[in-house]
Structure formats: C-alpha cells, structure tokens
Amino acid sequence: MQQGEASKTVRTTCPYCGVGCGVLATPQPDGSMAIAGDPEHPANFGRLCSKGSALGETLALSNRLLQPEVDGVVTSWDAALERVASTFSRTIAEHGPDAVAIYGSGQLLTEDYYVANKLMKGFIGSGNMDTNSRLCMASSVAGHKRAFGSDTVPGNYEDLELADLIVLVGSNLGWCHPVLYQRITKAKAERPGMRVVLIDPRRTASADLADLHLPVQSDGDSALFVGLLSHLSTAGAIDAGFVADHTEGSTEALAVADHWPVERVAQATGIPETDVRRFYDWFAGTERVVTVYSQGVNQSGVGTDKVNAIINAHLLTGRIGKPGMGPFSVTGQPNAMGGREVGGLANTLAAHMDFTPEAIDRVGRFWNSTSVATKAGLKAVDLFAAVARGEVKALWIMATNPVDSMPEADAVRAALAACPFVVVSDMTDRTDTVLHAHVRLPAAGWGEKDGTVTNSERRISRQRPFLPLPGAARPDWWIISQVAQRMGFGAAFDYAGPADIFAEHAALTAFENDGTRDLDLAGLVGADYESLAPVQWPVRAQSRTRLFGDGRFFTPDQRARFVAVVPPEPIRPAPGQLILNTGRVRDHWHTMTRTGKTARLSAHYAEPFAELHPLDAAELGITPATLVRLGNAHGSAIVRALVTDRQQRGHVFAPMHWTDQFASNGRVDALVTARTDAISGQPALKMAQVAAMPFIVERYGFFVARQRPALATDYWAIAEAPDGVRGELGFVEEPGDWDAWLRAAFALPAAARVHSVIDSGSGRRSFAVLADRQLQLALYVAATPVAVARQWAVDLLKADDVSASMVLAGRPGADRPDAGAIVCSCFSVGRNTIAGAVTEQGCTTVEAVGACTRAGTNCGSCRAEIRGIIDAHRLVAAAE
Ligand code: SF4
C-alpha cells in the first residue's frame, strides 16, 4: 500500500504502549476514521488491543490546545517562541546553563526527542534533559549497561512464541501489553507444553495464562532470582563454556547467591517452598526461557539490582542471544526506546553514548558545537527537587503531566507553582500540569505528527499523519527548532522536516562507530523516509543477525558482566499501614488525556479505586463499594473500595490514571514517596506505605447527564458516556435542598422540570430531567452505595423514547435489559450479557461466550474476566 495513492489508508503506529503495533487509519465518508491493525506489521500482525481499537474515538478536538498562550492570553507563535527563547537565554546568562531544563516524554517522536536533546546537551550545554521514561524503565537501562556495556534489549517478540517457559516478573502483560499477551496465548494454545510463570504480588489478569503464580512480597523478586542463580549452579544448569568464554564475575555473584537456599528464599519472598522449587526446577530444566519484566521490577528502590539478578540467571545458563530465550524488558511507553536512543535520559549524552571525554568530543565534532554538556544532568526526581529549591528557574515540559505522574506529586505541583518560568508544549489544554504554565504551546497529536518511534524489540516504525494540523498546532520538532534558532543556534536547527532530523540521528549513531556501539543505524542513512518499513536495529552494513548471538557484548573486553546482587529485605507493611502498589488498568493510558475521551474505554473502570484484600478491608471497617481514604505524610486520595482476594494481604493496588480533571481526589502518585534507585534514579512507584480508612459520607450518588456538571462535592468522579457523561458522588453532609443543588450543579434553566421520587423503603431519591422524551439528566442518591443498573442508565442517554417514571424507577424494564458493567470494550458487552450466555445459553468456555456475544473475540484483553464469570457460575451451580 502506497501512501496517498490508490488507497487513502495511512500506515502508522499506535501511540500507547511499547508493543508498538502497526495501525491502518482510513478516513470514512462521514468524517470519522476507521482504525485497524496492520496485518503486515511484525509487532502485531493485524491485532490491536481495546485501546488501539478505540483510537478513532480519541481524535475529536475537544480539550485541544489550539493556540499559543502567554500568561493565559492567546498570542502569535512569534510572540510565544520569542518569550521562551529570551527567557531561557536570560536565565542561562544570569544563572548558568544548569538553571534551565527540559522534561520530555515517551510520547515524543524520536525526531522531537533528538532536537530537544541536541538543544539542551549540545548547545545550551547542560545535561538537564530528562524524560518521564525515568519513571518507566531507567532501571532496565542501568541494568543493561552494567551487564552488557550497552542499553541493549537482546530479544525479539518472536522469542515469546518460541520459548518453552515464559517468566513474567512484575508485568501484567494481559492489560499493559495486550497484543504481546495475545501472541503468547496463541503460542501456548498451539504448544500445550509451553509454560508461563507469573511473579507478582497481585493475582492480575495475566494469571489467567499462568501455570504457576508466585505472589511475591514487594521487592522479594530480588531474593527469588538470587536464589535461582544458586539453584542453577547446584542443579548443573550452568553453560560453563559460555560463562568462561563470554562473561566476567560469575564467581562473585554465585558467592552471594549461595547464601540464598530455597528455604531462605521462601521465607523472604512469602512464597511456599514447594512453589519456589517448582519454579527453579522449571527454569533449570528448560532451555528456551524468556524472562519478561516491566514496572514491577523497574519501579523499585533496588530496580537495577533486580534487573541484573534476572540477567545473571540468563548469563549463567547461556540463554541469551538465541531464539526463544533471553531477558526481555518491555517498555511502557510508545517511544521510550526512541528516547533512550537519542539520549533523552539525563545521564546519556546522545545515540547511546554517555558523558565520557571521547563521546563528548565525538558528539561535539558531529554537531559542530563547542558547548556540549560535560556531565550528566538531573534525573526526574532530582530535577523537580531542584525546581522546588529554586535552582532550576526555567523548565520546559513536553507532552507529559508530572503534576500527576511524579512521586510526591503534590510537592511537584507546588514546585511548578513557584517556578519563575514554566513552558508546557502539549496537545491538551486541560491537564493538571498545563494549568501551571506561563507559556502554553499547542503541539501536534497522534494522527497529525510525522516521525518515528521504536518499540520494545528495537523496531523503528513510522508514525504518519492522516489529519491536518488543527488550529495553530505545530510538531514538537518545529517548536523546539524555532526556539533554538531564536536562541542563536540557527544553523544547527535548520531542519526542513522530520526526514532531515532522522537522517542526522541515524548518521550520529553510525559516526565513528565501527561496531563499538550497539545502536548503529548506518543502513538507514539515506533511506527513503516516507516509505520506511518497520525495521529492527542494529541496521549496519554487515549486521550481526542477532545481538549477542556470537557471545560478544559492548564492554571494553566484549564480555558480559555478572553483578553480585545482595537481596534487600522485602518491603512489608509497617504497623497500621498497607503497601501501595500503583499501576494501570486495561483500558486507560497514563493520565487519560486521550483514553478519557472515549465512552467505550471509560466504561471498564469509571472511577478511581483501591483493591483491598477482604480480611484487610474487614479489619479496617471498609465494606465493598464504599469510599476509602488512602493517606500518608505526602498526600491523600479518596477512591472506591474494590474488595477482592486477587489482592494480597497487606497490599493495596490503586491505578495511576485519575487526575483532578476526572476526580475530586484521585491522584495516587501524591502518596508515593520520592525514594529512588541509587543507580538509575528511578522512583519506587509501587512501594509506598499508606493508611487506609473509610471515608464516611452521608449520601452516595450516581448520575448520567448530557453536559459535564460543575462539581464541588466531597467526592466526585466523572467519565465519558455515549452522548454525555456519567459520574459518582459522595456527600459528607446531605444537601438541605436537593432541587437547588441539582439545578446549580447541572446549570439547569429555571424552566426545566425536575421529576423526583423518594423510595419509602430504602430512602433512595431519584431525579430525572427530560426534554422531548430524551433524557437530559438522571440522578440517584442513597445512604449506601447506589444500587442502580449503571450501564442501563448510561444507555438511556442514547434512547429516543424515555419516560420520567422509567428513569425514576432506576431499573431496566423487559424492553431494555441491563447489559451490566462493560467487560468487553471492543464490542461493549456487559457482565450481565456474558452471564446470560453462561446461564441461559449453556456457554461453558470463553470461546463459546465469544460465539454467542462476540465478547473476547477481538483483542482478547477481557478473556480472563470472561473466564472468571464462567467459573463463578460453575461454583454457584456446584454449590446448588
Ligand atoms: S498493545 Fe494495544 S496499546 Fe499497545 S501498541 Fe498495541 S494496540 Fe497500542
């Protein structure tokens, strides 16, 4: 398919997770965009997950930042760029280059990242360019560098299908990298001998695929893998030839590991001895092993050591650089890898080169600059601390939302509020960070941007535009280049477009490389950028077929390094506290600036929540579906209690997506301590200590409405619904006049008729406002969590013939059955519909439910939940 020729379909790449799926975008006659998986893309071969499938629903211009603004006033690009350039130049002149900083994002394209990094490290002369990838996989980078001498992910996605044992560590692949999960699921179905082990404190959705789940204590994975090293040695699973010929440090690593017999590992990790042994025996006895890890490993105070403990096990067995085996860090963000490649992390200079004298000289000659930074800059947590201390006085934030995503997020918010000069380039005008910007720069979004991204398997893919730039929005590379030119660095930033930038980036990776650096794009210098097909690096003239396949690494002596990892004490809850594990839900992405725009993706979880073990909840006096307050010295959050035995005792899981734009107090990263890994600087985002307690309200509420209300209730959470919004409410004190409260909150005209009724038995109040037999507003209020058929109420917004009595009754009639909470987002299939397929149509397998309802037949991310519904009915039937 050629771009812009016979077909209008554009071949591009998904902007969400690090799987990097190929996407086909085809404009429709009605102005919408049809989105499909690209069958030719090697990451997904046509598959998409629920988020990718819904991309077409996120393209509306609502909430877009469309014009430059200075001090809250719309202005011209000239004026805005001049203000940024002059303020940065003046700050540098008065306080030195380290008084300014850029904080980027894995959402930036490689070309954007390259220009930003070149400006800061190459011409301003400071290392202060860091990125939100610091929160994501900085510990993997540091672990790779210690072991391999380079930040190299050695594996391919195909290895996941070839492996006989897949070990998932701290990775809920089923929800966070769903297409990879589907590839493994298919391979496992075809090769029943294939095994999957899940190592995670929670029984996540990925447990559905696991033959063995090891519910490890927080940071206990370190002891688990150190003990594994010892076991591999005693079990005779060492590849002695590989270790002798291609590694250093095995003796020292094993000397530490030998202090960790199975019994001690079991005690430290909280995992039964028999399960530890089973895992160790499977690992020792299986040649083709891939260990997949992500944030559960990286987001820790000892993340780098954990990465090396995993790599050690692969080095000892020689299981690296060969098909179906190896350690495999999967990145969270769409272009975390591209950012690493250009030098987006503050401790990297450029193109996988660090701040060594040779690299500084080389990069300076390549960029023709004499002011290249000579030392690493501030890593994210240190950067915002420096902003708080007033040392960084001018900060440019690009495509990210640190007011919500950084640890101790309230302190970050205060630091930005006090910072003399904050620039934010973003596509969204309503983030908690944009609110603090002195200058707001409207950036191009997905579908408008033009460039490349690199996925978790080092595959570079094009993101191509298929929409015009809206308003005055401009690509990030253009914005940065314009500021650079106004700062006096014109010649070095005179790019005609992203193809120029990519060519320069590729040339830098190849410059004086000679096989000494892993990142080498020599083969792409001069490539046809427009038609560039997905390509995995290195792309050298004489490419090694598989990185590390020849046992050569990128250390000075080309030998890999074992690291003698000493396991820390696993983190256990302090008295009266729970360990807060933050993470993602299936259908939302980061701070919801894009996924929060779609009703379909907002239906799976429509409000922030905390997953608590039933015994912890009972001890704390927290009942299911009530509100719970999580708090510690850094902040607090109020969320819904989700009581489930998937959670381990002493732990609480809360998603990191909710912001002040979607909930009254759902920013869970406000509670996360800014403790970082000493080597990588990555914060321990999954291990804060918090107290949990009931948040007592006098009244709960649930509403659906055509328009977003202005809410100031003690608790509120709002989500998109088809043709309107839906929301949850909590009132510490019941309003004295409900009619007045309702009219004010929903801005009802004085003439609007509010129908209402009070249920004499339960005391529940129901309100309805209609116009022309269409629902405008329904509100239900009760002393306990509102028991109303929510999906039915949401669906009423789409109905044409609605009566007040029907709405006030709060329950569906026979003509409009309640689908129940959405389980399958791809086809909007609810829990009740699936349950009906099980009980009334006799479906006993996920496949049978799919045949009846279509649920689970597209991306498959909901298959674990479908299986749970089937199992629940099986248990009930057995009990009867
Ligand atoms: S798995 Fe889903 S979110 Fe990730 S790249 Fe693919 S479609 Fe996008």
Side-chain angles (χ1 to χ4, degrees), residues 227 230 257-266 280:
S230 174
D258 286 345
H259 292 288
W260 287 86
V262 170
E263 301 75 19
R264 188 177 178 194
V265 170
Y280 285 2

Side-chain angles (χ1 to χ4, degrees), residues 154-157 455 457-460 521 534-539 543:
N156 307 324
Y157 292 162
N455 72 4
E457 60 165 353
R458 313 184 318 276
R459 192 174 300 281
I460 298 168
L521 306 181
V535 56
Q536 199 178 25
W537 63 257
V539 195
S543 195

Side-chain angles (χ1 to χ4, degrees), residues 596-600 602 703-709 718-727 775-777 793-798:
K597 283 174 138 180
T598 100
R600 203 146 59 97
S602 300
F703 68 87
V704 296
R706 294 246 167 246
Q707 305 292 338
R708 184 184 170 111
I718 200 159
E720 283 296 304
D723 297 327
V725 292
R726 60 187 288 178
L775 181 65
Q776 304 300 306
L777 162 65
V794 166
D795 289 341
L796 285 182
L797 286 170
K798 295 183 295 186

